[in-house]
Tab-separated table of all heavy atoms in Angstrom:
chain	number	residue	atom	x	y	z
A	3	HIS	N	148.019	-15.291	67.579
A	3	HIS	CA	146.831	-16.110	67.793
A	3	HIS	C	146.969	-17.111	68.917
A	3	HIS	O	146.051	-17.851	69.268
A	3	HIS	CB	146.448	-16.866	66.495
A	3	HIS	CG	146.129	-15.909	65.374
A	3	HIS	ND1	144.998	-15.101	65.378
A	3	HIS	CD2	146.768	-15.624	64.228
A	3	HIS	CE1	144.936	-14.402	64.293
A	3	HIS	NE2	146.047	-14.668	63.529
A	4	ASN	N	148.142	-17.215	69.529
A	4	ASN	CA	148.383	-18.164	70.573
A	4	ASN	C	147.591	-17.800	71.896
A	4	ASN	O	147.692	-16.662	72.289
A	4	ASN	CB	149.890	-18.316	70.893
A	4	ASN	CG	150.628	-19.178	69.973
A	4	ASN	OD1	149.961	-19.959	69.166
A	4	ASN	ND2	151.919	-19.112	70.017
A	5	HIS	N	146.933	-18.717	72.478
A	5	HIS	CA	146.376	-18.610	73.785
A	5	HIS	C	147.459	-19.045	74.785
A	5	HIS	O	148.382	-19.759	74.471
A	5	HIS	CB	145.102	-19.421	73.943
A	5	HIS	CG	143.941	-18.934	73.182
A	5	HIS	ND1	142.735	-19.297	73.414
A	5	HIS	CD2	143.858	-17.977	72.184
A	5	HIS	CE1	141.851	-18.724	72.594
A	5	HIS	NE2	142.521	-17.871	71.868
A	6	ALA	N	147.317	-18.537	76.000
A	6	ALA	CA	148.250	-18.826	77.049
A	6	ALA	C	148.532	-20.347	77.301
A	6	ALA	O	149.655	-20.810	77.312
A	6	ALA	CB	147.885	-18.164	78.358
A	7	GLU	N	147.383	-21.085	77.407
A	7	GLU	CA	147.517	-22.498	77.676
A	7	GLU	C	148.160	-23.211	76.462
A	7	GLU	O	148.967	-24.099	76.683
A	7	GLU	CB	146.149	-23.123	77.904
A	7	GLU	CG	145.425	-22.496	79.138
A	7	GLU	CD	144.484	-21.357	78.696
A	7	GLU	OE1	144.705	-20.665	77.670
A	7	GLU	OE2	143.530	-21.034	79.486
A	8	GLU	N	147.759	-22.791	75.343
A	8	GLU	CA	148.391	-23.389	74.053
A	8	GLU	C	149.865	-23.122	74.007
A	8	GLU	O	150.578	-24.048	73.654
A	8	GLU	CB	147.588	-22.677	72.880
A	8	GLU	CG	148.117	-23.064	71.520
A	8	GLU	CD	147.425	-22.267	70.535
A	8	GLU	OE1	147.002	-21.106	70.732
A	8	GLU	OE2	147.287	-22.812	69.393
A	9	ALA	N	150.329	-21.936	74.329
A	9	ALA	CA	151.691	-21.599	74.281
A	9	ALA	C	152.542	-22.406	75.280
A	9	ALA	O	153.586	-22.941	74.985
A	9	ALA	CB	151.918	-20.082	74.524
A	10	ALA	N	151.958	-22.610	76.489
A	10	ALA	CA	152.648	-23.405	77.529
A	10	ALA	C	152.652	-24.858	77.053
A	10	ALA	O	153.758	-25.526	77.215
A	10	ALA	CB	151.957	-23.262	78.841
A	11	LEU	N	151.600	-25.405	76.615
A	11	LEU	CA	151.532	-26.816	76.203
A	11	LEU	C	152.485	-27.074	75.032
A	11	LEU	O	153.108	-28.191	74.974
A	11	LEU	CB	150.121	-27.272	75.883
A	11	LEU	CG	149.177	-27.419	77.107
A	11	LEU	CD1	147.749	-27.518	76.630
A	11	LEU	CD2	149.572	-28.657	77.835
A	12	ALA	N	152.606	-26.102	74.159
A	12	ALA	CA	153.492	-26.312	72.958
A	12	ALA	C	154.962	-26.530	73.403
A	12	ALA	O	155.722	-27.249	72.759
A	12	ALA	CB	153.397	-25.070	72.062
A	13	LYS	N	155.348	-25.906	74.518
A	13	LYS	CA	156.733	-26.102	75.021
A	13	LYS	C	156.934	-27.454	75.556
A	13	LYS	O	158.106	-27.835	75.738
A	13	LYS	CB	156.938	-25.001	76.117
A	13	LYS	CG	156.962	-23.616	75.537
A	13	LYS	CD	157.077	-22.590	76.709
A	13	LYS	CE	156.931	-21.210	76.117
A	13	LYS	NZ	156.801	-20.186	77.135
A	14	LEU	N	155.915	-28.258	75.786
A	14	LEU	CA	156.063	-29.646	76.266
A	14	LEU	C	155.964	-30.660	75.204
A	14	LEU	O	156.168	-31.832	75.442
A	14	LEU	CB	154.991	-29.885	77.368
A	14	LEU	CG	155.013	-28.959	78.611
A	14	LEU	CD1	153.899	-29.361	79.561
A	14	LEU	CD2	156.413	-29.026	79.277
A	15	ALA	N	155.610	-30.255	74.000
A	15	ALA	CA	155.439	-31.159	72.929
A	15	ALA	C	156.644	-31.954	72.659
A	15	ALA	O	157.829	-31.403	72.633
A	15	ALA	CB	155.021	-30.376	71.608
A	16	GLY	N	156.478	-33.246	72.392
A	16	GLY	CA	157.564	-34.113	72.041
A	16	GLY	C	158.392	-34.618	73.269
A	16	GLY	O	159.388	-35.322	73.038
A	17	ARG	N	158.067	-34.182	74.462
A	17	ARG	CA	158.866	-34.547	75.656
A	17	ARG	C	158.339	-35.843	76.316
A	17	ARG	O	158.949	-36.287	77.272
A	17	ARG	CB	158.842	-33.395	76.667
A	17	ARG	CG	159.653	-32.220	76.152
A	17	ARG	CD	159.739	-31.083	77.019
A	17	ARG	NE	160.220	-31.387	78.346
A	17	ARG	CZ	160.186	-30.537	79.439
A	17	ARG	NH1	159.725	-29.333	79.251
A	17	ARG	NH2	160.554	-30.925	80.596
A	18	ASP	N	157.236	-36.382	75.794
A	18	ASP	CA	156.794	-37.695	76.297
A	18	ASP	C	156.626	-37.689	77.851
A	18	ASP	O	157.108	-38.589	78.487
A	18	ASP	CB	157.617	-38.852	75.820
A	18	ASP	CG	156.924	-40.205	75.960
A	18	ASP	OD1	155.711	-40.242	75.845
A	18	ASP	OD2	157.676	-41.167	76.293
A	19	LEU	N	155.920	-36.691	78.384
A	19	LEU	CA	155.731	-36.528	79.757
A	19	LEU	C	154.359	-37.116	80.173
A	19	LEU	O	153.366	-36.975	79.438
A	19	LEU	CB	155.786	-35.072	80.163
A	19	LEU	CG	157.101	-34.362	79.960
A	19	LEU	CD1	156.857	-32.889	80.257
A	19	LEU	CD2	158.135	-34.904	80.931
A	20	ASP	N	154.309	-37.761	81.337
A	20	ASP	CA	152.989	-38.163	81.887
A	20	ASP	C	152.546	-36.964	82.684
A	20	ASP	O	153.075	-36.602	83.698
A	20	ASP	CB	153.190	-39.313	82.864
A	20	ASP	CG	151.876	-39.792	83.496
A	20	ASP	OD1	150.812	-39.186	83.229
A	20	ASP	OD2	151.964	-40.666	84.380
A	21	LEU	N	151.461	-36.292	82.143
A	21	LEU	CA	150.938	-35.135	82.741
A	21	LEU	C	149.715	-35.342	83.640
A	21	LEU	O	149.032	-34.403	84.017
A	21	LEU	CB	150.651	-34.071	81.672
A	21	LEU	CG	151.802	-33.636	80.855
A	21	LEU	CD1	151.401	-32.673	79.738
A	21	LEU	CD2	152.927	-32.917	81.735
A	22	SER	N	149.396	-36.628	83.906
A	22	SER	CA	148.224	-36.857	84.714
A	22	SER	C	148.301	-36.253	86.100
A	22	SER	O	147.255	-35.969	86.698
A	22	SER	CB	147.951	-38.352	84.800
A	22	SER	OG	149.096	-39.063	85.384
A	23	GLY	N	149.473	-36.108	86.658
A	23	GLY	CA	149.656	-35.442	87.925
A	23	GLY	C	149.961	-33.984	87.868
A	23	GLY	O	150.161	-33.372	88.834
A	24	ALA	N	149.950	-33.449	86.645
A	24	ALA	CA	150.291	-32.048	86.446
A	24	ALA	C	149.081	-31.135	86.699
A	24	ALA	O	147.908	-31.577	86.629
A	24	ALA	CB	150.794	-31.854	85.005
A	25	THR	N	149.395	-29.890	86.989
A	25	THR	CA	148.407	-28.859	87.108
A	25	THR	C	148.712	-27.723	86.174
A	25	THR	O	149.890	-27.340	86.017
A	25	THR	CB	148.382	-28.289	88.601
A	25	THR	OG1	148.066	-29.347	89.481
A	25	THR	CG2	147.376	-27.161	88.732
A	26	ILE	N	147.692	-27.162	85.490
A	26	ILE	CA	147.856	-25.940	84.739
A	26	ILE	C	147.122	-24.864	85.487
A	26	ILE	O	145.924	-25.033	85.777
A	26	ILE	CB	147.428	-26.132	83.243
A	26	ILE	CG1	147.751	-24.868	82.445
A	26	ILE	CG2	145.935	-26.461	83.111
A	26	ILE	CD1	147.661	-24.994	80.969
A	27	TYR	N	147.858	-23.818	85.737
A	27	TYR	CA	147.255	-22.658	86.355
A	27	TYR	C	147.032	-21.704	85.314
A	27	TYR	O	147.992	-21.340	84.509
A	27	TYR	CB	148.282	-22.111	87.457
A	27	TYR	CG	148.525	-23.032	88.595
A	27	TYR	CD1	149.542	-23.940	88.520
A	27	TYR	CD2	147.696	-22.982	89.695
A	27	TYR	CE1	149.791	-24.833	89.515
A	27	TYR	CE2	147.989	-23.903	90.755
A	27	TYR	CZ	148.961	-24.825	90.659
A	27	TYR	OH	149.229	-25.731	91.707
A	28	THR	N	145.812	-21.164	85.165
A	28	THR	CA	145.491	-20.233	84.091
A	28	THR	C	144.634	-19.123	84.685
A	28	THR	O	143.736	-19.366	85.499
A	28	THR	CB	144.829	-20.959	82.958
A	28	THR	OG1	144.441	-19.904	81.935
A	28	THR	CG2	143.568	-21.656	83.318
A	29	SER	N	144.964	-17.902	84.366
A	29	SER	CA	144.278	-16.766	84.918
A	29	SER	C	142.810	-16.727	84.496
A	29	SER	O	141.976	-16.228	85.270
A	29	SER	CB	145.028	-15.434	84.579
A	29	SER	OG	145.132	-15.277	83.190
A	30	LEU	N	142.475	-17.261	83.350
A	30	LEU	CA	141.142	-17.236	82.810
A	30	LEU	C	140.722	-18.587	82.404
A	30	LEU	O	141.555	-19.368	81.912
A	30	LEU	CB	141.089	-16.259	81.571
A	30	LEU	CG	139.723	-15.859	81.081
A	30	LEU	CD1	138.989	-14.928	82.105
A	30	LEU	CD2	139.823	-15.153	79.802
A	31	GLU	N	139.479	-18.983	82.516
A	31	GLU	CA	138.922	-20.212	82.167
A	31	GLU	C	139.364	-20.593	80.736
A	31	GLU	O	139.276	-19.875	79.796
A	31	GLU	CB	137.412	-20.128	82.185
A	31	GLU	CG	136.645	-21.374	81.850
A	31	GLU	CD	135.156	-21.125	81.900
A	31	GLU	OE1	134.633	-20.036	81.793
A	31	GLU	OE2	134.460	-22.166	82.043
A	32	PRO	N	139.850	-21.843	80.549
A	32	PRO	CA	140.281	-22.281	79.205
A	32	PRO	C	139.095	-22.211	78.220
A	32	PRO	O	137.933	-22.551	78.560
A	32	PRO	CB	140.740	-23.726	79.417
A	32	PRO	CG	141.156	-23.761	80.900
A	32	PRO	CD	140.160	-22.801	81.536
A	33	CYS	N	139.414	-21.782	76.972
A	33	CYS	CA	138.390	-21.509	76.025
A	33	CYS	C	137.769	-22.846	75.499
A	33	CYS	O	138.359	-23.919	75.559
A	33	CYS	CB	138.961	-20.710	74.819
A	33	CYS	SG	140.139	-21.691	73.774
A	34	THR	N	136.544	-22.699	75.014
A	34	THR	CA	135.836	-23.816	74.396
A	34	THR	C	135.371	-23.491	72.945
A	34	THR	O	134.628	-24.254	72.331
A	34	THR	CB	134.598	-24.207	75.211
A	34	THR	OG1	133.750	-23.083	75.444
A	34	THR	CG2	134.982	-24.845	76.577
A	35	MET	N	135.804	-22.362	72.456
A	35	MET	CA	135.499	-21.878	71.107
A	35	MET	C	136.653	-21.064	70.600
A	35	MET	O	137.201	-20.246	71.278
A	35	MET	CB	134.221	-21.080	71.096
A	35	MET	CG	133.864	-20.500	69.709
A	35	MET	SD	132.474	-19.448	69.822
A	35	MET	CE	131.176	-20.732	69.735
A	36	ARG	N	137.047	-21.313	69.325
A	36	ARG	CA	138.165	-20.523	68.736
A	36	ARG	C	137.844	-20.228	67.291
A	36	ARG	O	137.298	-21.079	66.527
A	36	ARG	CB	139.483	-21.256	68.751
A	36	ARG	CG	139.910	-21.475	70.163
A	36	ARG	CD	141.337	-21.591	70.383
A	36	ARG	NE	142.234	-20.630	69.892
A	36	ARG	CZ	143.541	-20.851	70.001
A	36	ARG	NH1	144.003	-21.865	70.588
A	36	ARG	NH2	144.371	-19.954	69.495
A	37	LYS	N	138.264	-19.085	66.860
A	37	LYS	CA	138.169	-18.696	65.389
A	37	LYS	C	139.486	-18.969	64.726
A	37	LYS	O	139.512	-19.282	63.512
A	37	LYS	CB	137.838	-17.265	65.249
A	37	LYS	CG	136.362	-16.956	65.732
A	37	LYS	CD	136.100	-15.461	65.562
A	37	LYS	CE	134.706	-15.153	66.025
A	37	LYS	NZ	134.384	-13.756	65.911
A	38	SER	N	140.545	-18.896	65.410
A	38	SER	CA	141.910	-18.867	64.826
A	38	SER	C	142.592	-20.250	64.768
A	38	SER	O	143.547	-20.435	64.049
A	38	SER	CB	142.859	-17.946	65.601
A	38	SER	OG	142.935	-18.370	66.930
A	39	ARG	N	142.046	-21.237	65.491
A	39	ARG	CA	142.674	-22.544	65.587
A	39	ARG	C	141.554	-23.662	65.618
A	39	ARG	O	140.495	-23.400	66.099
A	39	ARG	CB	143.533	-22.700	66.792
A	39	ARG	CG	144.720	-21.731	66.900
A	39	ARG	CD	145.919	-22.272	66.204
A	39	ARG	NE	147.127	-21.606	66.719
A	39	ARG	CZ	147.666	-20.510	66.264
A	39	ARG	NH1	147.073	-19.865	65.349
A	39	ARG	NH2	148.799	-20.014	66.741
């Protein structure tokens, strides 16, 4: 059920990073509706 962006973000959990200057590159537009989460 993991989406790509979700899987990548989960790897950063708990690292207390300032992501304001970060970029996420995603092959497809991030979702705005989910059934599984």
Side-chain angles (χ1 to χ4, degrees):
H3 298 293
N4 281 345
H5 287 195
E7 302 92 336
E8 175 184 31
L11 286 165
K13 294 172 185 173
L14 301 179
R17 291 182 51 190
D18 196 33
L19 297 170
D20 175 5
L21 298 176
S22 60
T25 299
I26 186 165
Y27 296 90
T28 179
S29 57
L30 193 68
E31 178 180 23
C33 71
T34 55
M35 175 185 276
R36 294 210 47 188
K37 292 180 181 176
S38 60
R39 300 272 201 272

